[in-house]
């Protein structure tokens, strides 16, 4: 489990693509400081398992076809920055919200509006996920825990939502440089999905 509090901006060192999978190597001195084979690290919100450590400050992970189809990881190239977070140890402080690292879909940045010391970013959300996004609720965007400032269900271009990015988020995550058109990984609140499942499962016990 993760909390959506990005620990550092890592850098993609290399990618290897196969017919139905890929291998991703990332540099991240902070998240690898105590890393071991088999540990989980969220890369742009995607939970990956360390399979190799080619250097003391880097790790390699396998990326399966399901992940490549549901996330933006397949588009990463050497030199790209990525948000990194280690799994949360039991008993640690929950700084953001419950994030599983299981991306639900890919959204798209559609607009950025600068404020005094922050920015409002509007993100297009797939129609199938829009019902899980609620004003003042939580959403993970590229692994970053954010509070939904507004939802825009009546937009003719399709559903979207807005979030506010404080200076720390702008400086410490990839969202600070995500221009309109950029694709981002989205994970909606898992509690909303479970509530829906309970209400629609026919009351079986």
């Amino acid at each position: 489990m993760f909390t959506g509090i990005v620990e550092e901006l890592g850098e993609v060192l290399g990618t290897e693509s196969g017919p139905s999978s890929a291998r991703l190597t990332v540099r991240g001195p902070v998240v690898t400081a105590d890393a071991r084979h088999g540990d989980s690290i969220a890369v742009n919100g995607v939970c990956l398992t360390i399979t190799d450590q080619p250097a003391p400050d880097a790790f390699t992970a396998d990326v399966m076809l399901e992940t490549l189809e549901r996330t933006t990881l397949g588009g990463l190239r050497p030199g790209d920055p990525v948000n990194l977070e280690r799994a949360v140890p039991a008993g640690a402080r929950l700084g953001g919200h419950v994030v599983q690292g299981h991306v639900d879909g890919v959204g798209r940045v559609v607009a950025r509006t600068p404020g005094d010391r922050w920015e409002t970013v509007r993100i297009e959300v797939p129609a199938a996920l829009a019902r899980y996004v609620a004003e003042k609720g939580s959403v993970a965007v590229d692994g970053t825990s954010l509070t939904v400032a507004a939802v825009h269900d009546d937009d003719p271009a399709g559903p979207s939502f807005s979030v506010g990015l404080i200076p720390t988020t702008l400086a410490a995550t990839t969202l600070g440089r995500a221009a309109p058109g950029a694709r981002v990984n989205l994970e909606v609140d898992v509690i909303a999905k479970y509530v829906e499942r309970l209400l629609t499962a026919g009351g079986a016990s």
Side-chain angles (χ1 to χ4, degrees):
M1 187 187 80
F2 306 91
T3 72
I5 304 301
V6 173
E7 295 187 83
E8 70 174 321
L9 272 174
E11 178 188 0
V12 175
L13 295 180
T15 60
E16 299 176 32
S17 299
S20 60
S21 65
R23 283 173 62 82
L24 182 67
T25 299
V26 177
R27 177 186 290 118
V30 173
V31 299
T32 56
D34 59 354
R36 297 177 299 176
H37 183 278
D39 284 354
S40 296
I41 294 180
V43 179
N44 279 358
V46 182
C47 179
L48 297 180
T49 301
I50 295 176
T51 57
D52 190 19
Q53 291 183 261
D57 64 348
F59 68 92
T60 297
D62 293 312
V63 186
M64 298 296 98
L65 180 62
E66 168 79 2
T67 304
L68 294 172
E69 291 179 339
R70 283 182 174 266
T71 75
T72 63
L73 294 193
L76 291 176
R77 298 292 181 265
D80 285 347
V82 286
N83 295 327
L84 301 177
E85 181 190 357
R86 288 170 288 190
V88 179
R93 183 174 290 130
L94 186 64
H97 72 283
V98 176
V99 178
Q100 295 182 298
H102 303 161
V103 170
D104 294 299
V106 174
R108 184 174 61 88
V109 175
V110 294
R112 300 185 70 109
T113 304
D116 180 19
R117 298 182 63 243
W118 68 89
E119 285 193 39
T120 298
V121 178
R122 187 161 173 168
I123 299 172
E124 181 182 81
V125 59
L129 298 180
R131 64 182 180 272
Y132 303 115
V133 181
E135 186 174 334
K136 304 309 177 186
S138 297
V139 64
V141 180
D142 270 355
T144 306
S145 176
L146 298 171
T147 299
V148 177
V151 293
H152 313 285
D153 292 327
D154 56 353
D155 191 331
S160 61
F161 63 90
S162 294
V163 293
L165 305 184
I166 62 174
T168 296
T169 305
L170 292 169
T173 77
T174 59
L175 299 182
R177 64 195 78 184
R183 300 168 73 243
V184 291
N185 293 322
L186 301 177
E187 181 184 333
V188 299
D189 191 345
V190 65
I191 296 175
K193 292 189 289 183
Y194 276 121
V195 169
E196 180 185 61
R197 178 61 177 165
L198 289 169
L199 293 175
T200 60
S205 61

